[in-house]
Amino acid sequence: MLNYDSIRHVKGESIFLDDFGAPAGTLHGAVFYSPEAHGKIISLDTSEAEKHPGVKAIITAKDIPGENQIGGIIQDEKLFADTEVEFIGEPVALVIADNPLAARKAAKKIKIEIVPLEVITDPKTAFEKGSLIIKQARVYSCGSTDEAWKNCDFIFKGTAETGGQEHLYLETQSALAIPLEGGSIKIISSTQNPTAIQRTAARVLAVSDNAIESEAMRLGGGFGGKEDQATAWAVMAALGCRITGKSVKIVLNRQEDMRLTGKRHPYVSDYKIGLSKGGKIISYEVVFYQNAGAAADLSPAILDRTLAHCTGSYFIPNVKAEGYSCKTNLPPNTAFRGFGGPQGMFVLEAAIFNAAEKMKMEPRVIQEINLLNEGDAFPYGQKTEFCKAKECWNEAKSKFDFDSVKRETDEFNEANKLFKKGFAVMPVCFGISFTNTMLNQASSLVHVYADGSVSVSTGAVEMGQGVNMKLRQVAALTFGISVDKVKSEFTNTTRNANTSATAASSGADMNGNATKLACGEILSRLKNHYRRAAKLSENEPVEIENGYVISCGKKTDVTWERLTASAYRNRIDLSAHGFYATPKIYFDPRTNKGNPFAYHVYGTAVITVTLDCLRGTYEIDSVKAVHDFGKSINPVIDRSQAEGAVMQGIGWLTLEEVVHNEKGRLISDTLSAYKVPDIGFTPKKIEFLFLENNDRNAGVFNSKAIGEPPFMYGIAAYFALVNAVKAANKNSDVKISAPMTPEKAFMNIYGEKK
Ligand code: MTE
Ligand code: LUZ
Ligand code: MOS
């Protein structure tokens, strides 16, 4: 029982990077960053800073031995700005001192002269000025919207906006680089992607990949914010290490982390939707303007997922979805749970909401009749398989009784003037796999020690989502032994090479499958060893169950430990490497057609809210969902992932508001200015019903990915609040612009209709 992350966390025993005993003499780095959102650098004066006590080095672009380039998808991001700055918070120099305070104080003494250039913060303005990350539009389409409009009884147009979101992982970005022999460097960092750090550090330092060992112990949360954006700090630490010959540690403080790192992408989107009288959606056009910030980062991949998920859980025969990654003078925005999917789905829900209002129907009627059926094709060509859209909806509809939710809400609103309730339903369908097919690969290195204990190393990074526990379970299930025998190791590039980020909710799926393969290999060697020793023929069934060998169906007295010790003495290899590449997926990025996802995850949630009409504040009364968990291998982890994700989704659309001023400065850069849901905001009731099934899918042991899909149930909270506002003032002209902060709810109740 002691061998659980949760218990270690509660006892304060878990080791995070900043707890890790850094080598004696470790130096500390502080980042000096651009105070201007756009401009030409005309001078940089570090002379005063150099004189500050304790300062050992000040590193700028000119000190980089290799390339000053950290871009992943597109090579458009410098480690340090040299001639131009494009956002406030863009790193310009790294001050290295013998303690963090001295480094930060010295950084304040650096002087930079910048000739300001025009600052753009809004994606549509960027689009109009031709400021784009990629010039061409990304377009996903099916059928013909041009043809379809004439078959529609109703056509509506509108705009929907969603805001940014701060990751607010408890552990801020941090890295420690330690010099090894022969010019090699070990980087330990809080990253979802150790391989990206290895490759980028090698490139910046002009060394080969094998000169960099990159490790992640466990993260105090990542949520996508450390998929790409842990790299810069880790590479800076490595560069500092190379230049000073000493270990270098960089730990951003909270405010630096909020100012310097990118967030969820805000979007502004224009839609046009066409329906039949009965509410069938016939045609849908949408243009997404994604606010990418000043560099590509993961924006193009995120835009792809927005486009892939723009039809949500619905079948729409005629679709044209266009997307632009707009370049603005903000920190590059990045991965965040859902990876553009939530932004895509939100717009269609806004369109359905708008249509329903004009057609005097309830949104849930339109939602229900358009749900995906088995075999329906998405605009990207893939057809649904084991589709659970209707099953989840119907189960939720009956278990949570949507009709009585409606009746109770109406009755409450009749009876109350100062408080109004609202509810909304949200079906989710989320594709599992990286949309970039190449990334869908994983490896596992399993050692069985002679005493029968097991060590599992994969590319999966533990960030609180419980992947380490799931991997231990996979090994234990495959071997037929107790989970206590198995340990998940820290993620390290010398044990697992060429790993993908732990992301796209597929960490447990892919690394679990690789682990199953590796364990299976060792298991078959062990079984053969037993057969030889017991003089059984090759075909006689030998199994291991609950730590004992079962021979020809009968339990023996040979324990797992005895078997492994004996195998060792007989010179049997007790280690194996498993490699998993998600089968049957492909995607052609030129036509945007293919089978990008291994499978889809489905569910339906209903959220009820109460709005205080005098204050604009609100409570989430309940979140109830039927969710397709597949055959869960760890229902406790899966349930808590679902609850955490939906809370994060609700936060995105309600309290959390990322605000920049017109100069590109982040205003919401403290926790007093940026509100996240806390325990007091937690819904009074959260109920997740498991739609269990044993469908064949690419999840390990037919489990299903859980990390991201429930995030999107949060969208129901937004529309529930809009309904509550409209119950308070039926003439309120609510602009669909998330988040619905209490201020906005208030203004929407009392604001003038234009
Ligand atoms: N849960 C916790 N506690 N902390 C996190 O940082 N990240 C989420 C999700 N759940 C996260 C989390 C995101 S964005 C993803 S993609 C998945 O976990 C990644 O892990 P998995 O692939 O193992 O599900
Ligand atoms: N990261 C990525 C992701 O690189 N590709 C994806 O498709 C993805 N999806 C979700 C989260 N992260
Ligand atoms: Mo999650 S956004 O895929 O890290």
Side-chain angles (χ1 to χ4, degrees):
M1 268 308 280
L2 288 177
N3 205 4
Y4 285 90
D5 256 15
S6 48
I7 292 172
R8 278 193 285 265
H9 288 351
V10 170
K11 292 170 89 179
E13 291 172 358
S14 304
I15 305 172
F16 297 86
L17 180 88
D18 204 24
D19 307 320
F20 181 71
T26 294
L27 302 174
H28 299 265
V31 181
F32 170 75
Y33 53 88
S34 171
E36 296 282 345
H38 194 193
K40 292 260 176 249
I41 301 178
I42 46 172
S43 74
L44 183 69
D45 176 4
T46 57
S47 55
E48 284 300 307
E50 273 155 32
K51 288 185 217 141
H52 190 87
V55 170
K56 299 288 186 234
I58 294 181
I59 299 173
T60 62
K62 63 179 183 346
D63 303 310
I64 293 175
E67 285 176 66
N68 182 15
Q69 183 52 248
I70 60 168
I73 299 178
I74 299 176
Q75 312 308 303
D76 68 347
E77 191 176 353
K78 289 176 175 164
L79 182 66
F80 293 119
D82 44 14
T83 55
E84 193 178 338
V85 289
E86 294 190 301
F87 61 93
I88 294 178
E90 183 171 352
V92 180
L94 180 74
V95 179
I96 295 181
D98 52 20
N99 69 76
L101 190 61
R104 285 202 170 86
K105 281 191 168 163
K108 289 212 167 70
K109 294 184 174 168
I110 295 179
K111 295 188 195 78
I112 189 166
E113 259 183 289
I114 295 172
V115 179
L117 295 167
E118 183 194 22
V119 174
I120 305 175
T121 59
D122 169 68
K124 262 196 178 167
T125 311
F127 174 79
E128 280 151 18
K129 294 182 183 252
S131 171
L132 295 167
I133 298 286
I134 299 173
K135 294 288 169 205
Q136 318 86 295
R138 293 284 287 148
V139 183
Y140 282 39
S141 65
C142 64
S144 164
T145 50
D146 285 341
E147 292 291 311
W149 297 122
K150 54 180 177 289
N151 304 325
C152 300
D153 298 317
F154 294 97
I155 296 174
F156 306 104
K157 289 184 183 180
T159 297
E161 300 177 351
T162 48
Q165 186 175 23
E166 165 62 48
H167 298 87
L168 216 82
Y169 24 66
L170 285 180
E171 179 197 30
T172 54
Q173 301 278 0
S174 35
L176 168 66
I178 304 169
L180 303 178
E181 60 185 16
S184 293
I185 293 175
K186 175 169 180 172
I187 306 172
I188 309 174
S189 68
S190 183
T191 179
Q192 292 173 238
N193 196 349
T195 292
I197 284 174
Q198 177 190 27
R199 287 184 185 143
T200 314
R203 180 170 168 199
V204 170
L205 297 185
V207 297
S208 51
D209 287 1
N210 67 1
I212 306 288
E213 175 184 347
S214 174
E215 178 167 286
M217 304 195 292
R218 70 156 64 67
L219 320 189
F223 305 112
K226 295 168 182 171
E227 183 174 337
D228 207 69
Q229 297 212 355
T231 303
W233 329 109
V235 172
M236 282 179 204
L239 182 61
C241 176
R242 157 72 82 87
I243 287 169
T244 62
K246 295 273 169 38
S247 298
V248 172
K249 189 166 170 179
I250 300 176
V251 178
L252 299 189
N253 65 31
R254 179 63 64 188
Q255 195 169 50
E256 288 167 343
D257 196 303
M258 292 178 89
R259 286 180 178 170
L260 272 53
T261 67
K263 326 220 170 289
R264 179 185 296 282
H265 292 74
Y267 278 63
V268 178
S269 315
D270 296 325
Y271 65 81
K272 181 176 172 187
I273 188 169
L275 306 92
S276 73
K277 274 198 207 80
K280 266 265 175 209
I281 305 172
I282 295 167
S283 191
Y284 181 56
E285 282 184 2
V286 56
V287 186
F288 295 104
Y289 300 94
Q290 177 198 52
N291 191 338
D297 191 275
L298 291 161
S299 301
I302 289 163
L303 187 61
D304 260 357
R305 198 174 271 278
T306 302
L307 294 165
H309 291 324
C310 77
T311 55
S313 273
Y314 311 105
F315 173 66
I316 307 180
N318 304 287
V319 177
K320 183 173 172 213
E322 244 175 284
Y324 297 93
S325 251
C326 307
K327 181 171 170 172
T328 58
N329 298 109
L330 298 177
N333 286 315
T334 194
F336 199 140
R337 213 169 193 169
F339 205 74
Q343 292 95 320
M345 292 182 200
F346 182 86
V347 181
L348 182 54
E349 293 302 325
I352 291 174
F353 190 88
N354 181 5
E357 192 167 38
K358 305 249 168 68
M359 291 164 71
K360 307 222 175 324
M361 293 169 96
E362 276 189 69
R364 65 186 168 112
V365 175
I366 298 181
Q367 288 174 315
E368 184 173 348
I369 60 178
N370 289 289
L371 288 173
L372 285 160
N373 278 311
E374 184 72 6
D376 280 345
F378 294 95
Y380 47 89
Q382 184 163 356
K383 292 188 170 130
T384 63
E385 222 188 326
F386 305 116
C387 180
K388 296 283 180 295
K390 288 204 160 142
E391 234 176 292
C392 291
W393 179 283
N394 291 336
E395 186 93 355
K397 186 179 172 176
S398 67
K399 288 264 165 60
F400 308 135
D401 196 352
F402 293 172
D403 291 333
S404 25
V405 175
K406 163 80 177 146
R407 201 168 43 257
E408 283 157 21
T409 306
D410 289 347
E411 281 167 12
F412 179 92
N413 289 343
E414 277 295 308
N416 290 278
K417 235 182 145 62
L418 297 180
F419 290 88
K420 295 290 179 187
K421 281 192 189 288
F423 80 97
V425 186
M426 180 68 200
V428 166
C429 166
F430 194 78
I432 302 302
S433 291
F434 288 90
T435 54
N436 179 351
T437 303
M438 173 191 83
L439 298 173
N440 296 289
Q441 52 174 311
S443 68
S444 176
L445 178 65
V446 176
H447 298 313
V448 175
Y449 296 99
D451 73 348
S453 62
V454 180
S455 146
V456 178
S457 299
T458 71
V461 171
E462 175 61 49
M463 52 187 133
Q465 85 280 40
V467 70
N468 278 354
M469 187 62 197
K470 287 185 177 175
L471 293 171
R472 292 172 59 200
Q473 287 182 279
V474 168
L477 281 167
T478 311
F479 284 136
I481 58 175
S482 153
V483 74
D484 294 327
K485 290 257 155 223
V486 188
K487 180 179 172 215
S488 280
E489 304 290 350
F490 293 158
T491 316
N492 185 302
T493 54
T494 64
R495 285 190 292 271
N496 298 92
N498 309 314
T499 58
S500 293
T502 301
S505 302
S506 54
D509 279 14
M510 293 204 302
N511 294 283
N513 274 310
T515 299
K516 196 175 157 203
L517 289 170
C519 294
E521 171 121 17
I522 299 172
L523 182 64
S524 82
R525 290 181 209 145
L526 284 169
K527 286 180 183 175
N528 285 336
H529 170 63
Y530 180 85
R531 286 192 188 98
R532 274 193 301 273
K535 305 207 165 30
L536 300 175
S537 77
E538 237 173 76
N539 305 321
E540 280 180 275
V542 172
E543 299 301 332
I544 296 166
E545 278 172 28
N546 301 321
Y548 282 89
V549 173
I550 312 289
S551 176
C552 305
K554 282 203 208 69
K555 184 174 166 184
T556 67
D557 62 359
V558 180
T559 60
W560 163 259
E561 292 79 4
R562 212 175 116 193
L563 181 65
T564 55
S566 148
Y568 165 70
R569 284 194 304 273
N570 286 280
R571 300 186 296 168
I572 307 289
D573 181 5
L574 289 175
S575 299
H577 173 260
F579 179 78
Y580 181 78
T582 311
K584 291 192 289 196
I585 50 171
Y586 59 91
F587 191 66
D588 182 346
R590 283 161 310 183
T591 57
N592 293 327
K593 297 279 182 198
N595 235 55
F597 300 119
Y599 60 94
H600 291 84
V601 170
Y602 298 89
T604 293
V606 54
I607 296 185
T608 311
V609 302
T610 304
L611 175 65
D612 178 336
C613 303
L614 279 183
R615 296 176 179 83
T617 51
Y618 42 75
E619 286 181 4
I620 312 294
D621 302 327
S622 67
V623 173
K624 296 178 183 176
V626 172
H627 185 85
D628 163 26
F629 287 86
K631 180 136 189 56
S632 174
I633 56 172
N634 194 318
V636 174
I637 290 177
D638 284 354
R639 182 184 295 281
S640 57
Q641 278 292 295
E643 291 178 355
V646 73
M647 274 318 293
Q648 210 164 24
I650 292 172
W652 171 48
L653 294 164
T654 59
L655 304 181
E656 298 184 45
E657 190 175 32
V658 175
V659 188
H660 293 92
N661 69 9
E662 71 288 351
K663 294 196 176 112
R665 193 171 87 75
L666 179 68
I667 305 299
S668 51
D669 64 353
T670 64
L671 292 183
S672 51
Y674 186 80
K675 290 288 169 203
V676 286
D678 57 12
I679 193 73
F681 189 72
T682 304
K684 289 192 222 65
K685 190 174 177 67
I686 305 187
E687 190 177 345
F688 269 90
L689 299 185
F690 284 54
L691 186 90
E692 284 241 14
N693 58 71
N694 206 358
D695 293 342
R696 170 175 47 79
N697 67 48
V700 63
F701 293 115
N702 290 340
S703 64
K704 282 196 168 178
I706 185 66
E708 294 170 290
F711 181 93
M712 280 144 281
Y713 295 137
I715 292 173
Y718 183 85
F719 290 99
L721 281 169
V722 176
N723 283 327
V725 166
K726 296 211 172 202
N729 175 4
K730 65 178 186 309
N731 294 319
S732 171
D733 182 25
V734 182
K735 183 177 165 207
I736 300 301
S737 173
M740 180 69 85
T741 56
E743 292 87 336
K744 273 202 226 162
F746 185 83
M747 293 308 284
N748 275 318
I749 299 173
Y750 301 104
E752 291 286 302
K753 190 170 175 178
K754 277 164 260 134

